[in-house]
Amino acid sequence: MVSDEALVTGASPSKPVDVWDLPLRFVHWGLAAAVLTAYFSANVLDAVHETAGYTVLALVGFRLVWGFAGSRYSRFRSIISSLRVVFRYAAQLLRGQHHRYLGLNPAGAAMAVALLALLLVCSISGWMQITERFFGIDWVEQVHTCSSDLVLLLVIVHVAGVLAMSLLQRENLVRAMITGRKRDDPAD
């Protein structure tokens, strides 16, 4: 029997394959929860905000290690190769052309790098604010506030991009990040 997905896309059914390993998925969803908790508890629940910030820092630290020790699609090697073609990929998207990737597409790779870097800036500047040396220093507070707002903006763009690509490619990418599995018919 042919699946609904194959009927919609006109493709033959394909079996799901493991793409996102459990540690990567744990970090992804842990960061989602910790970032939202930190953002919305700021200046309201200081202990919750601080705990969420340390959680973000720990998860980003683990993700950096996992970028070298993890499975194929968790490694930075696959992200770096995607980063080389970000602008070409974006131009193709604007022309209505989209290629499917089993791992991160180039736009997703760029977003992952931007978010990880910005989360480091945000969590380190947040930690700096509670140290004796940097407490009350204006530029530290400004860096933390601006980076926090930019993180939330990038999260919104990330979610919009995931939903758009899910529709374009007729594949539930949110489910893929929950289960770790995707169809095995990519253009990658």
Side-chain angles (χ1 to χ4, degrees):
M1 178 166 184
V2 178
S3 70
D4 291 337
E5 184 175 85
L7 289 173
V8 171
T9 63
S12 61
S14 61
K15 63 179 178 127
V17 295
D18 292 328
V19 176
W20 310 118
D21 59 34
L22 186 60
L24 181 79
R25 290 180 282 143
F26 175 79
V27 168
H28 179 271
W29 293 112
L31 280 172
V35 164
L36 290 174
T37 300
Y39 191 86
F40 291 108
S41 65
N43 302 317
V44 179
L45 299 167
D46 290 339
V48 171
H49 180 76
E50 191 175 319
T51 301
Y54 285 128
T55 301
V56 167
L57 190 57
L59 288 169
V60 169
F62 178 81
R63 178 63 183 100
L64 293 175
V65 170
W66 201 244
F68 297 100
S71 64
R72 175 182 177 187
Y73 295 106
S74 296
R75 292 192 180 167
F76 293 134
R77 183 178 334 128
S78 65
I79 290 176
I80 290 169
S81 63
S82 293
L83 286 176
R84 293 186 197 125
V85 296
V86 170
F87 293 112
R88 183 175 27 155
Y89 181 79
Q92 289 172 336
L93 279 177
L94 291 174
R95 290 191 303 267
Q97 303 167 345
H98 55 89
H99 301 286
R100 189 172 171 277
Y101 289 78
L102 194 51
L104 287 175
N105 67 37
M111 181 60 75
V113 169
L115 275 169
L116 286 172
L118 207 49
L119 286 170
L120 268 178
V121 169
C122 186
S123 54
I124 290 172
S125 62
W127 165 76
M128 288 171 67
Q129 284 184 296
I130 62 171
T131 64
E132 275 187 50
R133 181 173 183 171
F134 293 104
F135 181 80
I137 305 293
D138 188 55
W139 72 265
V140 175
E141 292 175 10
Q142 291 300 319
V143 166
H144 186 64
T145 299
C146 289
S147 61
S148 298
D149 292 341
L150 281 173
V151 164
L152 187 62
L153 178 65
L154 286 183
V155 165
I156 291 167
V157 171
H158 169 60
V159 170
V162 166
L163 295 176
M165 293 312 294
S166 289
L167 290 171
L168 283 171
Q169 297 174 348
R170 295 182 174 104
E171 180 173 28
N172 188 335
L173 296 176
V174 175
R175 182 177 58 214
M177 187 50 78
I178 292 170
T179 65
R181 300 173 69 78
K182 290 179 78 176
R183 291 189 329 254
D184 69 349
D185 58 348
D188 143 268

